Amino acid sequence: MAYAIPLWTPPSLPVSGSGDSFPVRRIFCVGRNYVEHQKEMGGDGREAPFFFIKAAHSLVPLGGDVHYPPKTANYHYETEMVVAIGKGGRRIDAGKANAHVFGYGVGLDMTRRDLQQWGKDHGRPWDFGKDFDEAAPCGALAPASKIGHPSKGAIVLVVNGKERQKADLSDMIWSVPEQIAYLSEYYTLEPGDLIFSGTPAGVGPVKPGDELEARVEGVGDLKVKIIPAL
Ligand code: MN
């Protein structure tokens, strides 16, 4: 088949310990999924999970240099464990959800917090706050066949040598299997989908020159340097 414009390479993530790449289809993100972060964002109690989406185009494989984005004066990090779906399905039972996971990585749900807040205040979508160029740096995927399915372990972010976020995966309000079960009631999950599983408390702004080091115990790490806007 001839394409009218040149076909692009699908976004993908390296798989650690192999030469393989994992093609990325969609990026789902859960909101307010750690107790202390839910409090800092004004939430209360165990409300139903909610999700938003970033385009796969926003992926920055392995991090590295990330441009400060346009149209924001409050550009935030959110450190998250990323879940890579290897086997699709709909109405997946939480008890069987792990069988749908290919592996796990470390991601940053980068956010134009001022634009997100504007959307909240005006009852408008979050897209401009969450889905923009280079909004989803993500490290290599560690296959579940090697590391299992982490449900506890430290999730940490260090910015310019100072610890800014620290929690445990067990502090999630909705576990990864519960997220998969919930999401798959609304979407047919497909191989290649990613789920950003929420951020702990301590979110905050970064500026050009800042260096971020995120890690999830037993999963991996991700380094990002914020560089001046294009
Ligand atoms: Mn997030």
Side-chain angles (χ1 to χ4, degrees):
M1 192 211 302
Y3 289 98
I5 59 170
L7 190 62
W8 53 91
T9 306
S12 66
L13 291 170
V15 177
S16 57
S18 84
D20 291 347
S21 286
F22 180 92
V24 174
R25 189 185 299 262
R26 291 174 293 189
I27 303 175
F28 296 99
C29 306
V30 68
R32 295 188 186 179
N33 198 38
Y34 284 78
V35 176
E36 292 303 317
H37 176 61
Q38 190 201 42
K39 285 183 194 162
E40 78 180 348
M41 300 305 280
D44 179 27
R46 196 180 197 241
E47 56 202 27
F50 67 92
F51 291 84
F52 56 89
I53 294 173
K54 291 177 190 263
H57 177 77
S58 68
L59 199 68
V60 185
L62 299 181
D65 289 350
V66 170
H67 293 91
Y68 196 93
K71 297 290 186 184
T72 183
N74 198 18
Y75 175 49
H76 276 210
Y77 53 76
E78 295 189 1
T79 307
E80 315 209 358
M81 184 170 78
V82 176
V83 183
I85 300 295
K87 185 180 137 198
R90 62 177 73 89
R91 294 188 290 278
I92 296 166
D93 188 88
K96 296 173 181 167
N98 282 345
H100 293 260
V101 177
F102 169 80
Y104 299 87
V106 180
L108 285 163
D109 167 16
M110 299 306 291
T111 302
R112 294 191 282 208
R113 192 71 72 199
D114 41 2
L115 300 192
Q116 182 197 27
Q117 189 61 50
W118 190 91
K120 288 181 183 179
D121 291 345
H122 293 81
R124 296 273 173 85
W126 284 14
D127 303 38
F128 279 24
K130 287 291 194 178
D131 179 22
F132 50 91
D133 293 346
E134 303 181 358
C138 189
L141 295 178
S145 59
K146 296 220 173 93
I147 66 161
H149 297 278
S151 58
K152 58 183 182 339
I155 175 168
V156 177
L157 177 71
V158 173
V159 181
N160 301 331
K162 283 191 182 161
E163 192 173 278
R164 295 298 185 192
Q165 293 190 282
K166 185 172 190 189
D168 196 279
L169 296 176
S170 62
D171 298 331
M172 284 187 193
I173 297 170
W174 297 91
S175 69
V176 168
E178 287 172 332
Q179 291 179 45
I180 291 170
Y182 188 91
L183 196 52
S184 70
E185 291 181 38
Y186 290 82
Y187 289 88
T188 303
L189 293 182
E190 302 281 358
D193 289 339
L194 299 181
I195 302 172
F196 276 55
S197 60
T199 194
V203 300
V206 282
K207 59 185 188 313
D210 287 347
E211 296 187 34
L212 291 70
E213 286 188 49
R215 68 181 168 82
V216 175
E217 189 180 350
V219 173
D221 58 14
L222 171 68
K223 290 182 184 171
V224 159
K225 181 174 184 185
I226 309 302
I227 60 173
L230 285 168

